[in-house]
Amino acid sequence: MGESTLRQKAIYKYIRKAKQVYHGKGPVRKQFISDLSDALTCYSETHPDCSYEDLVEEFGSPDEIRASFLSLYSSDLKKRNIRLYRIFFICCLIAALLALAFTVSYVINSYQHSKGYYIEYIEDDEPFTPASDEPAPVQQYTFD
């Protein structure tokens, strides 16, 4: 194997370990990996016989690299993440309140309909008057 293959394996191993350690998302992760691979490539061109240990000695462990990268971009990430979490929390809260309101409304309507609770208003111009003023006759039955 040539020196360039060993050098590429060392760079690949270092980037792979850095990816395992870094748990960022989206464009920030891509930026991190891109910056790291550019720096490693430039270093390997000036030091053709570098190994993984040389990379760790020059750049630090992947944990240290991640910490330094986050310290550079932490203010932007924190502002963005806090804003996103607040928006997400407010949306979830509104959705939960709407679900609770609809559930309570459904339960109340179901309970009222199950008990036969129904009010109907009939508007009539003239008041109700019975057909005659005499009370209805009552039949009596006697058993002797």
Side-chain angles (χ1 to χ4, degrees):
M1 278 191 197
E3 290 180 11
S4 65
T5 329
L6 291 174
R7 180 176 52 190
Q8 291 300 324
K9 284 187 177 187
I11 291 173
Y12 178 74
K13 181 178 178 182
Y14 192 87
I15 290 174
R16 185 171 34 100
K17 290 198 179 215
K19 282 182 182 179
Q20 290 173 352
V21 172
Y22 186 74
H23 299 291
K25 294 183 181 178
V28 178
R29 181 184 173 127
K30 289 179 184 178
Q31 181 69 34
F32 170 70
I33 299 301
S34 174
D35 291 348
L36 182 62
S37 63
D38 288 344
L40 292 173
T41 304
C42 290
Y43 179 77
S44 69
E45 287 174 357
T46 58
H47 299 85
D49 57 342
C50 65
S51 66
Y52 177 77
E53 289 78 21
D54 294 335
L55 294 175
V56 170
E57 184 178 314
E58 181 67 27
F59 293 99
S61 69
D63 291 325
E64 294 169 353
I65 294 289
R66 179 187 59 117
S68 67
F69 181 80
L70 288 179
S71 68
L72 291 174
Y73 294 102
S74 65
S75 62
D76 295 335
L77 293 176
K78 286 180 183 177
K79 288 178 186 175
R80 179 175 168 243
N81 287 345
I82 288 172
R83 199 174 304 134
L84 287 175
Y85 287 133
R86 284 182 183 166
I87 290 170
F88 179 73
F89 179 75
I90 289 171
C91 290
C92 287
L93 184 65
I94 289 171
L97 289 175
L98 286 174
L100 181 67
F102 285 123
T103 303
V104 168
S105 172
Y106 177 77
V107 168
I108 289 171
N109 286 338
S110 295
Y111 178 75
Q112 287 176 348
H113 289 298
S114 70
K115 296 296 182 183
Y117 179 75
Y118 184 75
I119 297 175
E120 182 176 343
Y121 295 101
I122 301 175
E123 293 192 23
D124 196 5
D125 293 339
E126 44 186 79
F128 175 73
T129 55
S132 67
D133 292 335
E134 298 177 11
V138 177
Q139 284 184 332
Q140 291 182 350
Y141 295 102
T142 57
F143 299 100
D144 295 327

